[in-house]
Amino acid sequence: PAIIGYNHGYFTQGGNARAWWEYAGVNGVRIFIDPSQTEPTDDLALWGDGVSSDATFESRKAALRADPLNPAYINWSYFTSKLDDRSYALGQYRALGMQIMVQCTASESILPITSSSDYAGRWELWQHYYASAFYYARYFDVTRYQMFNEPDHPNAGGITTTEWLLRLQLASDAIKCAISDVNSLYGKSLQPIVAAPTTSSQTYSPWGNVAVDNRHQNILFSTICFPLTVPHRIITAMYGSRWHYRLMI
C-alpha cells in the first residue's frame, strides 16, 4: 500500500508523540473530528441562512464561494476558535510529511436533514463541510476526508443508504468546492479525496455499491459527464476485521 498509518490519539505539546510517530515509520494518520465541536449551534442565525429551495441553495453557495472569507457567509472566528484545538497535532503531522485523513461523521443527530424539502438542513451540512475543509486545506494542506464512520454499526442510529448517499453528495461537493477555492486564493494545487465509510462488517455491500452506482450524480441529482461529488474509483483493503473503502473524487 502507498499509505500505512494509525488513528490519531493524544498529541500534545511537551509529550513524546512525535518521536513515537517518527519511530513507527508510518506515513498516514486518520484523525476523528466531531462535528459537535461546531454544530448544531449555528455560526450565523438563522438556521439555514435563508436557504429554502434548490435555487436559493445554489445562490447562497455561489455568493459564499465568490467571497469565502466574508464573515457574512461563515463566522470564521467561531469556526476557527472551535477547530484550533487540533492545530498543534495537525501541524506536527504535516511537518512529518504525513498524509492526513479527517474523519468527520455527518450524523443525523448533529447535522439533521428532516425531510426531502429540508433545504436549511442541507445547507447547514454543506456549509459545515465547506468551512471545515477550507480551514484544514488552508492551514494544513489536508485533502483526504471521510464523511461517515461505520454507518452499518448499531450506534449509527439506523441511517439508510439513501440518507447516507445524500450526505455523501453534499459533503463531497462542499469539500471539492472548498479545496478549489483554497487553491485559487492561496496558490495551492491540492486535489480532494473523499473516502467511503469504514464498515463494521466484512462486506462492502451495500455502502460501496451505492457510492459507485451514483458516482455520476451531483447534489441536485442531475446526471453529469464526469464525477464531481461522488468518488469514482474504489480500492478495498482489510484491516483486522474491518473493511475500509477508499474512493477518490
Side-chain angles (χ1 to χ4, degrees), residues 80-200:
T80 55
S81 68
K82 300 292 186 178
L83 298 177
D84 273 349
D85 69 326
R86 304 294 178 89
S87 62
Y88 175 76
L90 288 167
Q92 293 295 302
Y93 289 134
R94 178 54 59 219
L96 289 168
M98 298 283 180
Q99 291 293 322
I100 301 168
M101 173 176 279
V102 168
Q103 157 60 48
C104 182
T105 291
S107 68
E108 294 179 294
S109 59
I110 302 299
L111 292 164
I113 300 175
T114 58
S115 69
S116 60
S117 60
D118 184 7
Y119 287 95
R122 291 187 186 193
W123 173 256
E124 291 293 338
L125 189 151
W126 190 96
Q127 186 216 39
H128 174 82
Y129 280 89
Y130 180 93
S132 298
F134 191 99
Y135 171 88
Y136 294 124
R138 177 184 180 184
Y139 293 111
F140 307 106
D141 292 343
V142 176
T143 60
R144 299 171 183 272
Y145 295 87
Q146 191 175 37
M147 183 278 302
F148 212 110
N149 184 58
E150 298 184 355
D152 61 332
H153 195 280
N155 292 340
I159 189 170
T160 67
T161 53
T162 300
E163 294 164 338
W164 174 83
L165 177 61
L166 174 60
R167 290 165 182 272
L168 176 64
Q169 290 174 312
L170 289 164
S172 59
D173 182 75
I175 291 164
K176 179 182 71 70
C177 290
I179 291 178
S180 176
D181 295 344
V182 166
N183 287 342
S184 297
L185 282 171
Y186 301 105
K188 301 188 180 190
S189 56
L190 306 173
Q191 295 296 317
I193 299 172
V194 178
T198 302
T199 58
S200 61

Side-chain angles (χ1 to χ4, degrees), residues 31-89:
I31 182 168
F32 283 71
I33 298 178
D34 195 326
S36 65
Q37 288 184 252
T38 59
E39 310 291 342
T41 301
D42 196 12
D43 70 304
L44 294 171
L46 297 169
W47 176 262
D49 300 334
V51 173
S52 58
S53 64
D54 286 336
T56 54
F57 185 105
E58 292 300 313
S59 176
R60 182 77 178 183
K61 172 181 168 181
L64 187 161
R65 295 195 65 195
D67 192 10
L69 297 178
N70 189 333
Y73 300 120
I74 293 177
N75 185 344
W76 284 112
S77 61
Y78 173 83
F79 265 97
T80 55
S81 68
K82 300 292 186 178
L83 298 177
D84 273 349
D85 69 326
R86 304 294 178 89
S87 62
Y88 175 76

Side-chain angles (χ1 to χ4, degrees), residues 206-218:
W207 306 98
N209 295 35
V210 72
V212 172
D213 291 345
N214 292 276
R215 66 192 183 278
H216 294 298
Q217 285 190 334
N218 64 17

